[in-house]
Amino acid sequence: MIMSSLNLKDLTLIIFIAFCVWSSSHETCCAREGKQWRRSKTVPATVLVKKPKLGHGRNQHGAAGRSLLSSAIFNVLDYGAKGDGRVDDTKAFGEAWAAACKVEASTLVVPAGSVFLVAPISFSGATCQSNIVFQLDGKIIAPTSSKHWGSGLLQWLEFTKLKGITIKGKGIIDGQGSVWWDDSGKMPSTKPTALRFYGSTGVTVTGITIQNSPQTHLKFDSCTTVQVSDINVSSPGDSPNTDGIHLQNSQDVVIYSTNLACGDDCVSIQTGCSNVYIHNVNCGPGHGISLGGLGKDNTKACVSNVTVRDVKIHDTLTGVRIKTWQGGSGSVRGIMFSNIQVSEVKTPIMIDQFYCDKGKCKNETSAVAVSGIDYVNIRGTFTAKPVHFACSDSVPCTGVSLTTIELEAAQGSGFYEPFCWETYGELKTATVPPIDCLRSGKPSSKSVQSNHDSC
């Protein structure tokens, strides 16, 4: 009995000690879990940004109730924007951008249901984090008073030196350009581009509408890796110099699923551009899709590896065009125009090395060399001339090939024969109408190769 009693006491003691040990361990674990839980609630350093200023009226509650965890979203209304289309919201946009700029992958929101009057502004990215999204669902309008423009500016909304910038949404950028187009003297003679990107990489523009720009609607200058899709550009066909999309010194550009209606080139491709792919685009009214004018004022121009395909062009001055100034140098090469449907286009196919938009241009010997230009499956109607190839006497066009060209005069239009001057290449199939003026082989001049080498 004594042994049994001892054993029972020992057993009770062992159980008691074990329970204490277990309780102690459980409290320690809970404490550790508590520390871990608190650590997980800590706001990452990247979103510890200055709290937005309170807006007015309905915006105060939203701004005050915002938590730091959601501060990667920056709504311009929270920074004092009125969104009534009358009060100048430029300062609010600038402050919202300054805050968003500090946060990687942040989103600046321009909400639907409001109209924002914004004066010329530059969204600079020199010190910005990367991959910022500009969510445009509302409408931004340009001021129509000359006091906002000084003696004239080259752009209205500008994004500069950014890495990974996206503008997307269903919103509208309206340049209210009619006050500029009549040249009444009320506005400066220098007309701004509506939306410009400069010195940026990884640029995406999708979904938005840009309309009634004083001049060019959308410009990319010195940018790489650019994607434009599902946008609408709209201005009257008689609005002067209102290019749809303008590319300059930019590489690796894709433009697709886009509607472009304007008063100048639907797409204008200038010097320094390469690896440009344009497809599934509707163009018209306007001046068509153009490379150039290149080589103006005796400059060197280099454009290469451009593909334009699966495009519809209607009611335009030209269809697919290459235009260069006399006296320039450099080269245009490796160009493909494929599956182009034209309707009521004045001149569907054009190379013009005597381009001149002045009253008079003097004859010069030097020229931008044009070579390796392929036209494949271009069909539809023209109102003046089906094909116009006017190439330099000293630097003729070479390597021009035509396959499945079927162009007919539109009803009621006069008919003019295809025109060729100093143009060498190959007819790979019969054409309608016959393009008998194209020369076979290559010219004897060596100047073409030397101009190629300059690029």
Side-chain angles (χ1 to χ4, degrees), residues 5 40 161 184 205 348 365:
S5 177
S40 69
K161 299 181 180 178
S184 63
V205 180
T365 301

Side-chain angles (χ1 to χ4, degrees), residues 239-307:
S239 55
N241 301 311
T242 53
D243 294 83
I245 300 174
H246 180 102
L247 307 176
Q248 183 169 328
N249 295 314
S250 294
Q251 301 82 41
D252 303 322
V253 178
V254 180
I255 301 169
Y256 65 96
S257 300
T258 286
N259 298 307
L260 304 169
C262 55
D264 209 316
D265 296 326
C266 291
V267 182
S268 172
I269 302 170
Q270 299 295 328
T271 186
C273 291
S274 62
N275 299 330
V276 177
Y277 183 32
I278 300 167
H279 67 96
N280 297 99
V281 166
N282 292 321
C283 165
H287 291 183
I289 295 176
S290 298
L291 280 66
L294 301 168
K296 186 176 182 180
D297 298 327
N298 305 106
T299 57
K300 182 171 74 172
C302 299
V303 176
S304 63
N305 194 18
V306 175
T307 296

